[in-house]
Amino acid sequence: MSYRDLPYSLLELASVREGDSVGRTLANSVAYAQHGEHLGFNRFWLAEHHNMEGISSSATSVLVGHIAGATKTLRVGSGGIMLPNHPPLVVAEQFGTLESLYPGRIDLGLGRAPGTDPITSRALRREHLGAEQFPEDVAKLQQLLGPLQPGQQIKAIPGAGTNVPIWLLGSSLYSAQLAAQRGLPYAFAGHFAPRLYREAIHLYRSQFQPSDTLARPYAMLAVPAIPADTDEEARFLATTSYQRILSLFRGQPLWMRPPVESMNGLWNSGEKAGVQDFLSLQLLGSTDTIRQQLDRLLESVEVDELMFTIDLYDPEKRRRALDILAATRPENRTEKRSLS
């Protein structure tokens, strides 16, 4: 399938620039979402991370409501709620409330990782339950967000009957298989774990079982992107994400740092290779260059939607990147298709 036929969406971590405040960061996220909406992007999802200096998306459902309240047509959701951290009833109540406030615009993406380090994971985890409880928790959420059943004792109020669309997220084969078995839409995290993207999406499609939710498989692929006016500028701007991933590897704070002319002296050869592997699906360059990269990417995998992470230091250049990305589409716009 050509990228020209696919909806474009955005994934947001609410990344904090070094020395900046969370308040300004979130104001920039709102402006970014509004610009994406103006250009016709389909979804705006917010990630869940904890105890990570430089990422301010820990209270994911709060930010989903904040962005939804500042936009009109954009689908807003979680990419994702890390289910081991939360009782399904609480998630159902939160997203049932969001759906009641912004009907037809809320997505509930679910992950089975904690989204943090082991120590913080233990501080978050309810009743010491982990990822092994994930399939049961997904089933509970489906029940809580579905129609009330006779004799049902535990009810999500709000939540019951809202049928908020549930997505399963993953970076391995496990969630792909579970999404296929449950007949749910699936999103692969190629923006940080690209190695198995072809295998996972192929497994999902080949094993998909139709459900009341979804008649056909629907797969979304998340990829990192650095759109810029020229290829040279894109290579320069990309050094912000290189520095950040390097900090992740070293266990350092993940503040967004300004781009640099050269990474020489900032990383060694092993670290450089690790960063490049982490970003092996990255789209980088001008509109024409990204068009070519998208064509090559979609020769290797069949997806129904693309979701982009755009890690740029300057908020204005980040919004400009959306213009450049949208220009890869016919008539310089993104054709919207909602899955609800």
Side-chain angles (χ1 to χ4, degrees):
M1 179 180 289
S2 167
Y3 66 86
R4 296 175 179 86
D5 301 320
L6 301 181
Y8 284 3
S9 293
L10 299 169
L11 178 64
E12 173 76 330
L13 277 68
S15 302
V16 186
R17 301 197 299 171
E18 192 170 30
D20 210 349
S21 69
V22 170
R24 277 194 294 268
T25 297
L26 299 181
N28 287 331
S29 292
V30 168
Y32 182 61
Q34 290 171 332
H35 194 59
E37 178 178 60
H38 172 73
L39 292 169
F41 282 75
N42 194 31
R43 306 174 204 278
F44 191 91
W45 281 6
L46 294 122
E48 177 184 341
H49 292 284
H50 299 278
N51 196 26
M52 293 186 179
E53 293 179 278
I55 295 178
S56 56
S57 60
S58 56
T60 312
S61 59
V62 175
L63 293 186
V64 169
H66 185 59
I67 296 294
T71 53
K72 295 181 174 66
T73 60
L74 199 65
R75 291 197 67 90
V76 187
S78 56
I81 292 294
M82 299 294 103
L83 205 44
N85 301 335
H86 310 281
L89 178 60
V90 172
V91 177
E93 290 171 341
Q94 290 174 346
F95 277 78
T97 301
L98 289 166
E99 175 64 23
S100 300
L101 291 168
Y102 309 104
R105 294 181 52 210
I106 301 300
D107 294 327
L108 175 53
L110 300 173
R112 68 185 187 103
T116 188
D117 60 88
I119 295 174
T120 309
S121 170
R122 286 194 291 273
L124 285 164
R125 188 162 295 162
R126 53 194 172 87
E127 300 174 2
H128 306 289
L129 296 176
E132 65 276 4
Q133 192 75 13
F134 186 68
E136 290 79 6
D137 285 349
V138 171
K140 288 177 185 175
L141 264 173
Q142 289 181 286
Q143 180 187 47
L144 289 166
L145 293 170
L148 286 175
Q149 301 299 314
Q152 183 174 332
Q153 291 185 313
I154 299 177
K155 307 168 187 177
I157 309 293
T162 56
N163 296 302
V164 178
I166 290 176
W167 291 66
L168 296 193
L169 283 52
S171 57
S172 66
L173 304 182
Y174 179 90
S175 291
Q177 188 171 37
L178 183 61
Q181 291 170 351
R182 300 285 174 87
L184 294 171
Y186 175 64
F188 186 86
H191 60 295
F192 73 83
R195 189 170 62 89
L196 293 174
Y197 78 98
R198 284 182 292 251
E199 293 88 341
I201 291 175
H202 174 74
L203 177 68
Y204 168 69
R205 289 194 176 281
S206 64
Q207 296 190 8
F208 182 83
Q209 299 293 317
S211 67
D212 293 339
T213 301
L214 201 59
R216 295 178 300 153
Y218 195 99
M220 181 158 61
L221 176 62
V223 295
I226 306 290
D229 287 308
T230 66
D231 293 356
E232 181 181 14
E233 183 187 20
R235 286 190 289 270
F236 171 66
L237 296 176
T239 58
T240 289
S241 59
Y242 298 163
Q243 294 177 76
R244 196 160 190 230
I245 295 162
L246 188 59
S247 294
L248 177 67
F249 290 171
R250 293 174 174 175
Q252 298 171 344
L254 303 179
W255 307 114
M256 294 274 283
R257 294 186 173 88
V260 294
E261 292 295 338
S262 173
M263 289 292 294
N264 291 338
L266 296 180
W267 57 15
N268 60 41
S269 59
E271 289 170 330
K272 179 180 179 180
V275 171
Q276 290 174 336
D277 182 63
F278 190 101
L279 294 172
S280 63
L281 291 183
Q282 186 180 67
L283 308 171
L284 185 150
S286 65
T287 296
D288 287 341
T289 300
I290 287 181
R291 280 195 188 107
Q292 296 167 16
Q293 293 168 347
L294 283 168
D295 277 333
R296 288 195 296 270
L297 172 64
L298 294 173
E299 288 173 357
S300 67
V301 66
E302 181 185 356
V303 297
D304 301 283
E305 189 165 345
L306 290 168
M307 179 167 275
F308 300 95
T309 58
I310 300 176
D311 228 5
L312 297 182
Y313 180 79
D314 185 326
E316 290 186 10
K317 287 191 179 294
R318 196 170 184 234
R319 292 191 292 272
R320 171 62 183 152
L322 296 185
D323 298 332
I324 295 162
L325 194 55
T328 65
R329 305 302 303 277
E331 301 178 11
N332 294 342
R333 65 179 178 83
T334 298
E335 179 186 352
K336 293 185 71 173
R337 267 192 281 163
S338 291
L339 177 70
S340 58

